[in-house]
Amino acid sequence: MSITSRTILGRVKRLRGVSGARRAVWAYVRGAPGTYVWLTVLFVTTVALHHMSPEFEQEFLRQRSTNIHELSRHPVRVLVASAMWIDGGYWLPYAVLYSVFHAQAERWLGTARWLAVCAAAHVLATLLSEGALAKAIRDGLAPRSAINTLDVGVSYALSGVVAVLVYRIRPPWRYGYLAAVLVFYAVPLGAGPTFTDFGHFVSVLIGLGCYPLVRGRERVRNPKETAPVPPG
């Protein structure tokens, strides 16, 4: 096959397109360092879990769980450690969710404010949901063995960030997004709710309550706009 000037130009354009896409991806990642450092930690810990036997994995995670037993003995340690592991071993879905929600929030709010939302949702929702579980145990509505239940993961922080992004969207789109979030997290409460369902809904309310952290940030986003969101 002969190589013509048109062929060469076509290949150069494709290479430029690939290079431009790589730069855009890198700029997006660089604008949310906390999100992608956290994702990297989750990747490493998920790989580690895949090398454990099922029996050892359960006991290992239980010692890093924010259950009633561990919270009463090592509250700070388990609150931090539980956010570094994924129960279930599937990292890729979290990579997508972190890129869609956490990265957007961090780029908008800045790393410090984004981290404050994550910490508030993770810690407060954990304490309130475990407190509700403790009351259920005392009232005989849950078994005594529930004090050692497995409770690790990053979903409370993610739920809080999903909620705080309500303030990132321009009305009237904001209200549709808010309604969708509330319905998504409220429906499980009406169909055999668990303490984690309660915790997720609480974390959404905490995220909505973080409005003071979003004041003074960039203008809200119109979903019809296609321009990329600049770093916060």
Side-chain angles (χ1 to χ4, degrees), residues 108-172:
W108 172 45
L109 295 173
T111 300
R113 296 189 188 196
W114 161 78
L115 191 58
V117 174
C118 292
H122 176 66
V123 173
L124 295 178
T126 295
L127 295 178
L128 289 171
S129 62
E130 292 294 339
L133 179 60
K135 185 178 186 306
I137 293 172
R138 287 195 303 269
D139 294 344
L141 301 176
R144 179 70 181 173
S145 60
I147 65 171
N148 289 309
T149 189
L150 185 60
D151 185 21
V152 297
V154 297
S155 58
Y156 290 166
L158 178 61
S159 300
V161 166
V162 168
V164 82
L165 283 171
V166 164
Y167 304 117
R168 182 73 179 93
I169 303 172
R170 185 187 302 275

Side-chain angles (χ1 to χ4, degrees), residues 14-79:
R14 284 196 295 271
L15 288 173
R16 286 179 177 174
V18 171
S19 178
R22 288 176 179 172
R23 286 196 298 269
V25 169
W26 174 240
Y28 191 82
V29 171
R30 190 175 54 191
T35 295
Y36 290 100
V37 167
W38 195 358
L39 261 180
T40 301
V41 172
L42 292 176
F43 178 79
V44 172
T45 57
T46 300
V47 170
L49 286 180
H50 284 297
H51 288 81
M52 300 178 187
S53 67
E55 297 78 13
F56 181 79
E57 176 184 332
Q58 290 297 304
E59 183 58 30
F60 181 86
L61 290 178
R62 189 165 283 109
Q63 292 176 7
R64 288 151 182 80
S65 175
T66 50
N67 56 43
I68 296 171
H69 176 70
E70 294 295 336
L71 277 173
S72 64
R73 299 177 62 192
H74 313 288
V76 176
R77 178 178 68 80
V78 295
L79 282 167

